[in-house]
């Protein structure tokens, strides 16, 4: 069963799927020793070699210049097969920032398609001196960090790109998601890196591919969860019957499948929509579908679900990590609601 | 085979021009203006919105639309249809819902019987029954449920016994919507042995005026009586009113259910967004302490969730329409659409009731209530939507078994 469907209109899906299946890290990750850094290094060089990191980038910048449909197809496969690496900042957000900075004649030192640009998100509480500490992904791999700050009034996004040599790593905390190691970091000095800020509709347009990529990756995660859960409950027997024949199990999976179907249609439609805010909706819908399916998957597996050696936790943790990347579903939903209400003539 | 089977009578010149428009925006504006003036014309000095839930007005407006030419939008031309593509059909539905036009009464006829007849009817039957759908002269009801047959449809026991030239039907149907005004019934009957289940079911298109039929309206929790019990006492049905072969009714019923869960629910999904806009307007007008209900964070949060669902369900519906256009039979996806829509629709009116505050105490249709008690009406009516056309529990079984392949 492939819930993500066959190649369809995407030229990337089939070759990417094959490469990702060959590179699946499940066994290594559920083994005794965590080896995420080695897996990420392997995955990342594969992604660079196959040109995945430059699909959104303009041809004049050495990219392939493919559309959002291909981004969605590739991101779905990335989620389904637990790809490890700084995909989101390098391949999705950085090209958008480059285009935006150009349109404003603002400096943005584009590090090129080979760079490993890691996303770095702010922690909620500053340190004792009042400085913001960031959590940066894949510190072993990062050549750069893209530091994200959220602005509240007006709502928007603020980013800085720093070379890895321009940040100070404070610690290597344990990461929730074993496929994504993190470091705690701060900029090495004040005033490093050009700040690019954008608000309102412009922010929605800049972040559109990011939300689509996250939504699609979550949908990939959700598809993998459903396929694995269905296989498990079809085989596992209790009371002389497959547990999947009990309605308590069946209906929970039916709900997960309904939500997945909705999320998949929503993200794929948003990739072709005229309204950049549809991508925000797609992310909100996908975040709920994947997180719930991930929690349920553990329930379906029973004792195996709460054991490290089975893969259920890998998917739940990935969904939780993706859902924590700002702006989060709650913020997006609020922004969309305010906009909707303001548009209605009451 | 390409001869004209059903010829449509004269239609309104303005409608003909709108249908023929090559430009999408011209089509949309044409539909919008035409609907507005038609509603004004029919409602006279009263606001049509206050009459939109009344059955007589719903039927009057539906028939007016059909006779002017706004029916059979997607049917092939040789059956009198307009052969409009799905995008155009969706535009019509969007405009119909934007202006809050009353919902049709003959939904079974247009949404279920028409596509089923086009797919499974004989040419003679198409010739006989399609004109009554074009001009809405024939209202249809659907004879499925029986007192002992609900979700387990294959257990139905209304019996049709062979006789000279046709069948004699005996038994009882229940929860049959609009049976009291219907001219025909799309009826499932038992023609096989008592234990033959889905192998012994036949579809009859029963004339509701036949001697031996008694219709008793049943009062619903809304206070209205839109559905009925239908009693069959030795009712004669000619062979020519049998759809498909004898004992081959189950697959036709399943195809009809596919249409029902697929295209039948699309208009309702399109409508969801304008219904949500109405609820937002209500919340903006309803005081809550020193502020308004719309300023309540809890209410805003739920509006946000419903808004997300509107967008996502619309994407799902569009996907479904594309599949239908490619002649793929809606499978588990139809059940997904039905399940998600009916549950979102319930949540919408639960929210509406919360916004009403103490006015929620007033009954459906009450003139002194906001929107003439339409929110109370919908709150109660939407409880039916997770039950009719397959309960949510049956939908989940279908999704799990057919969508995911889980064991029965």
């Amino acid at each position: 069963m492939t819930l993500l469907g066959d190649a369809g209109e995407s030229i990337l899906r089939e070759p990417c799927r094959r490469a990702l299946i060959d590179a699946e890290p499940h066994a290594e990750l559920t083994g005794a020793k965590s080896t995420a850094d080695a897996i990420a290094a392997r995955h990342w060089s594969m992604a660079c070699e196959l040109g995945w990191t430059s699909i959104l980038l303009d041809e004049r910048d050495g990219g392939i210049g493919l559309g959002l449909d291909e981004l969605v197809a590739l991101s779905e496969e990335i989620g389904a097969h637990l790809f490890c690496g700084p995909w989101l900042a390098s391949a999705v957000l950085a090209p958008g920032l480059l285009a935006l900075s150009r349109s404003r004649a603002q400096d943005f030192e584009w590090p090129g398609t080979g760079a490993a640009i890691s996303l770095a998100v702010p922690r909620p509480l500053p340190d004792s001196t009042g400085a913001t500490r960031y959590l940066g992904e894949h510190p072993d791999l990062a050549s750069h960090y893209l530091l994200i700050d959220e602005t509240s009034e007006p709502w928007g996004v603020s980013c800085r790109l720093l070379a890895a040599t321009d940040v100070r790593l404070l610690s290597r905390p344990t990461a929730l998601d074993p496929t994504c190691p993190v470091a705690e970091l701060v900029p090495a000095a004040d005033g490093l890196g050009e700040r690019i800020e954008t608000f309102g509709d412009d922010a929605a347009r800049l972040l559109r591919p990011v939300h689509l990529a996250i939504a699609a990756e979550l949908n990939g995660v959700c598809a993998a969860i459903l396929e694995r859960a269905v296989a498990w409950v079809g085989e596992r027997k209790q009371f002389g019957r497959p547990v999947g024949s009990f309605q308590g199990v069946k209906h929970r999976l039916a709900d997960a499948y309904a939500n997945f179907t909705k999320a998949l249609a929503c993200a794929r439609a948003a990739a072709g929509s005229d309204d950049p805010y549809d991508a925000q909706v797609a992310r909100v819908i996908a975040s709920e579908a994947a997180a719930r399916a991930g929690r349920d998957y553990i329930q379906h597996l029973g004792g195996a679900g709460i054991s490290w050696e089975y893969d259920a936790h890998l998917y739940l943790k990935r969904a939780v990590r993706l859902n924590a990347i700002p702006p989060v579903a709650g913020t997006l939903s609020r922004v969309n609601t305010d906009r909707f209400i303001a548009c209605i003539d009451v | 085979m390409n001869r004209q089977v059903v010829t449509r009578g004269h239609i309104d010149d303005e409608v003909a021009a709108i249908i023929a428009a090559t430009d999408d925006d011209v089509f949309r504006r044409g539909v919008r203006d035409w609907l507005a003036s038609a509603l004004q014309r029919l409602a006279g000095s009263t606001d049509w919105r206050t009459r939109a839930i009344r059955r007589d007005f719903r039927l009057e407006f539906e028939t007016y639309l059909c006779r002017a030419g706004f029916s059979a939008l997607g049917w092939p031309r040789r059956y009198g249809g307009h052969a409009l593509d799905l995008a155009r059909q969706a535009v019509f539905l969007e405009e119909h819902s934007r202006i809050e036009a009353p919902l049709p009464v003959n939904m079974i006829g247009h949404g279920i019987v028409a596509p089923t007849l086009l797919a499974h009817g004989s040419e003679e039957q198409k010739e006989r029954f399609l004109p009554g759908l074009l001009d809405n002269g024939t209202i249809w009801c659907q004879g499925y449920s029986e007192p002992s047959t609900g979700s387990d449809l294959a257990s139905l026991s209304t019996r049709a016994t062979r006789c000279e030239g046709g069948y004699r039907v005996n038994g009882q149907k229940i929860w049959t919507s609009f049976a009291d005004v219907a001219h025909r019934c799309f009826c499932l009957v038992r023609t096989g042995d008592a234990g033959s289940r889905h192998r012994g079911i036949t579809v009859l298109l029963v004339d509701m005026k036949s001697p031996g039929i008694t219709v008793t309206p049943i009062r619903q929790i809304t206070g209205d009586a839109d559905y009925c019990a239908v009693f069959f006492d030795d009712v004669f049905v000619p062979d020519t009113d049998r759809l498909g072969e004898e004992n081959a009714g189950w697959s036709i019923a399943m195809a009809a259910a596919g249409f029902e869960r697929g295209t039948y629910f699309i208009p309702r999904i399109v409508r969801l967004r304008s219904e949500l806009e109405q609820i937002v307007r209500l919340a903006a007008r309803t005081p809550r302490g020193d502020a308004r209900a719309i300023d309540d964070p809890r209410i805003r949060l739920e509006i946000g969730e419903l808004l997300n669902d509107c967008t996502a369900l619309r994407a799902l519906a569009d996907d479904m329409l594309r599949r239908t256009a490619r002649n793929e039979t809606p499978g588990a996806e139809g059940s997904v659409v039905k399940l998600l829509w009916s549950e979102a629709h319930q949540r919408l009116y639960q929210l509406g009731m919360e916004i009403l505050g103490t006015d929620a105490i007033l009954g459906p249709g009450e003139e002194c209530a906001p929107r003439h008690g339409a929110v109370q009406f919908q709150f109660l009516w939407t409880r039916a939507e997770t039950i009719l056309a397959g309960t949510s529990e049956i939908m989940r079984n279908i999704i799990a078994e057919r969508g995911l392949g889980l064991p029965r």
Side-chain angles (χ1 to χ4, degrees):
Chain A
M1 183 164 50
T2 46
L3 292 178
L4 293 173
D6 297 324
E9 286 96 50
S10 164
I11 53 165
L12 281 180
R13 185 185 299 280
E14 199 46 44
C16 293
R17 180 182 289 170
R18 274 199 305 266
L20 284 164
I21 288 173
D22 288 343
E24 272 193 355
H26 299 63
E28 284 167 86
L29 288 167
T30 51
K33 225 175 87 197
S34 187
T35 51
D37 285 318
I39 296 165
R42 222 164 55 225
H43 279 190
W44 192 246
S45 68
M46 170 179 84
C48 294
E49 244 169 68
L50 296 175
W52 298 353
T53 51
S54 49
I55 60 165
L56 286 187
L57 201 64
D58 222 66
E59 285 178 43
R60 65 177 165 158
D61 297 310
I64 318 176
L66 293 176
L68 295 176
D69 291 333
E70 294 291 352
L71 172 71
V72 165
L74 181 47
S75 299
E76 284 170 2
E77 299 298 329
I78 276 177
H81 303 288
L82 297 182
F83 172 84
C84 309
W87 155 256
L88 208 55
S90 305
V92 186
L93 184 51
L97 284 171
L98 176 64
L100 182 70
S101 64
R102 271 207 190 123
S103 72
R104 295 173 172 180
Q106 202 177 354
D107 283 329
F108 178 80
E109 288 207 23
W110 172 240
T113 53
I117 307 173
S118 284
L119 200 65
V121 295
R123 294 193 61 189
L125 287 177
D127 68 12
S128 55
T129 69
T132 303
R133 291 167 298 175
Y134 295 84
L135 295 174
E137 55 180 35
H138 297 290
D140 275 16
L141 214 53
S143 64
H144 296 75
Y145 288 95
L146 194 52
L147 275 53
I148 310 286
D149 293 293
E150 224 180 326
T151 71
S152 55
E153 282 302 331
W155 178 79
V157 164
S158 174
C159 311
R160 271 181 298 168
L161 182 71
L162 297 185
T165 48
D166 283 340
V167 307
R168 194 153 54 85
L169 298 188
L170 305 174
S171 65
R172 288 286 303 258
T174 308
L176 176 84
D177 178 2
T179 71
C180 186
V182 292
E184 195 183 30
L185 57 91
V186 290
D190 288 340
L192 288 170
E194 185 87 5
R195 186 175 285 280
I196 299 177
E197 278 182 323
T198 177
F199 305 100
D201 288 352
D202 289 337
R205 271 189 289 272
L206 171 71
L207 293 182
R208 182 181 179 208
V210 177
H211 295 316
L212 283 175
I214 294 177
E217 187 170 338
L218 286 164
N219 290 340
V221 165
C222 201
I225 287 172
L226 278 167
E227 287 165 17
R228 284 156 196 271
V230 165
W232 177 277
V233 302
E235 280 192 10
R236 167 85 179 162
K237 284 196 174 130
Q238 288 293 283
F239 307 101
R241 294 163 57 179
V243 293
S245 67
F246 294 105
Q247 276 193 339
V249 173
K250 213 179 242 187
H251 286 188
R252 205 188 269 256
L253 277 164
D255 282 332
Y257 180 71
N259 290 332
F260 163 74
T261 309
K262 179 171 76 164
L264 194 70
C266 195
R268 288 177 178 180
S273 156
D274 297 330
D275 185 352
Y277 288 89
D278 284 351
Q280 302 192 169
V281 176
R283 179 164 169 202
V284 176
I285 297 280
S287 76
E288 178 56 30
R292 188 169 151 195
R295 295 188 298 264
D296 283 356
Y297 183 23
I298 288 177
Q299 182 72 19
H300 292 308
L301 261 60
I306 47 174
S307 306
W308 186 278
E309 64 167 309
Y310 291 86
D311 58 25
H313 66 113
L314 298 178
Y315 291 99
L316 174 65
K317 288 168 176 175
R318 175 169 284 232
V320 170
R321 171 174 63 81
L322 289 169
N323 284 345
I325 296 172
V328 296
T331 308
L332 296 175
S333 227
R334 186 174 53 72
V335 168
N336 283 350
T337 309
D338 291 349
R339 188 169 159 266
F340 176 68
I341 291 172
C343 284
I344 293 177
D345 165 28
V346 295
Chain B
M1 261 324 265
N2 279 329
R3 76 184 173 96
Q4 191 70 25
V5 183
V6 177
T7 311
R8 185 171 201 140
H10 180 71
I11 64 170
D12 185 288
D13 291 339
E14 270 180 69
V15 173
I18 294 165
I19 300 272
T22 46
D23 184 82
D24 285 345
D25 287 333
V26 173
F27 178 76
R28 186 185 286 279
R29 267 201 312 278
V31 170
R32 184 179 302 178
D33 296 344
W34 193 91
L35 286 173
S37 61
L39 279 162
Q40 222 126 48
R41 215 160 26 230
L42 253 63
S45 55
T46 58
D47 182 357
W48 72 80
R49 290 177 186 89
T50 63
R51 298 172 61 185
I53 59 172
R54 280 179 36 194
R55 185 157 77 162
D56 53 348
F57 189 63
R58 284 170 64 182
L59 185 56
E60 187 187 349
F61 182 68
E62 179 182 40
T63 303
Y64 187 81
L65 269 185
C66 292
R67 301 223 161 128
F70 281 121
S71 60
L73 298 184
W75 302 3
R77 287 216 172 77
R78 68 196 191 96
Y79 295 109
H82 294 303
L84 289 186
D85 64 21
L86 294 165
R88 284 281 167 97
Q89 294 178 49
V91 168
F92 179 81
L93 296 174
E94 277 166 12
E95 293 304 324
H96 189 277
S97 77
R98 185 202 300 266
I99 200 160
E100 298 170 65
L103 275 173
V105 167
N106 198 9
M107 291 170 284
I108 301 288
H110 296 284
I112 300 168
V113 175
T116 308
L117 265 175
L118 284 167
H120 298 278
S122 68
E123 290 299 290
E124 185 274 326
Q125 285 169 334
K126 291 178 197 169
E127 217 166 322
R128 201 150 46 95
F129 293 123
L130 291 177
L133 288 163
L134 282 172
D135 68 3
N136 214 36
T138 311
I139 309 297
W140 289 76
C141 61
Q142 190 182 36
Y144 275 32
S145 292
E146 296 178 5
S148 303
T149 292
S151 289
D152 183 10
L153 187 59
S155 71
L156 64 90
S157 60
T158 293
R159 169 151 297 279
T161 322
R162 267 244 151 260
C163 68
E164 177 71 33
Y167 300 89
R168 290 277 166 194
V169 179
N170 285 284
Q172 187 197 339
K173 295 290 175 180
I174 199 165
W175 325 128
T176 313
S177 296
F178 301 118
D180 52 339
V181 290
H183 305 98
R184 284 268 162 188
C185 181
F186 186 93
C187 194
L188 298 186
V189 294
R190 169 82 42 214
T191 37
D193 303 335
S196 58
R197 292 193 51 85
H198 57 274
R199 293 180 311 280
I201 291 170
T202 300
V203 179
L204 297 179
L205 309 174
V206 182
D207 183 347
M208 291 297 282
K209 294 215 172 54
S210 312
I213 293 183
T214 314
V215 176
T216 314
I218 302 170
R219 198 164 183 213
Q220 294 146 228
I221 58 172
T222 57
D224 289 349
D226 282 338
Y227 55 44
C228 307
V230 182
F231 300 89
F232 296 84
D233 182 15
D234 228 20
V235 175
F236 176 71
V237 180
D239 278 325
T240 48
D241 287 350
R242 187 188 66 222
L243 184 63
E245 296 299 310
E246 187 173 292
N247 293 331
W250 186 253
S251 61
I252 297 174
M254 289 302 102
F259 291 122
E260 184 171 37
R261 281 166 206 150
T263 50
Y264 181 80
F265 288 104
I266 306 283
R268 281 147 188 80
I269 288 173
V270 171
R271 223 179 161 86
L272 200 55
R273 200 180 178 94
S274 45
E275 290 183 73
L276 177 60
E277 288 175 4
Q278 292 311 317
I279 293 294
V280 168
R281 289 195 184 95
L282 177 70
R285 282 197 304 263
T286 309
R288 189 71 100 237
D290 296 335
R292 305 166 303 161
I294 192 96
D295 304 314
D296 181 335
R298 233 176 77 89
I299 285 172
R300 270 184 116 81
L301 198 67
E302 184 60 14
I303 289 172
E305 304 240 319
L306 286 161
L307 175 63
N308 290 332
D309 275 344
C310 284
T311 310
L313 278 170
R314 184 60 203 270
L316 198 56
D318 287 345
D319 199 43
M320 185 99 183
L321 280 172
R322 275 193 295 275
R323 284 160 189 256
T324 316
R326 290 198 301 259
N327 278 327
E328 292 173 32
T329 322
E333 278 67 30
S335 301
V336 168
V337 168
K338 199 270 175 177
L339 175 72
L340 292 175
W341 166 78
S342 60
E343 298 195 341
H345 206 210
Q346 286 185 345
R347 280 178 19 237
L348 178 65
Y349 288 100
Q350 279 156 224
L351 174 65
M353 292 295 270
E354 208 176 312
I355 290 167
L356 282 180
T358 50
D359 274 349
I361 291 170
L362 298 169
E366 172 49 53
E367 297 220 349
C368 77
R371 298 178 55 76
H372 291 234
V375 174
Q376 290 89 332
F377 176 86
Q378 292 286 4
F379 168 71
L380 294 168
W381 171 248
T382 52
R383 308 321 300 176
E385 289 170 341
T386 49
I387 298 166
L388 55 79
T391 63
S392 287
E393 288 68 29
I394 291 293
M395 292 303 109
R396 289 188 171 93
N397 283 348
I398 293 173
I399 293 165
E401 287 161 17
R402 276 200 261 155
L404 288 169
L406 288 180
R408 290 176 66 88

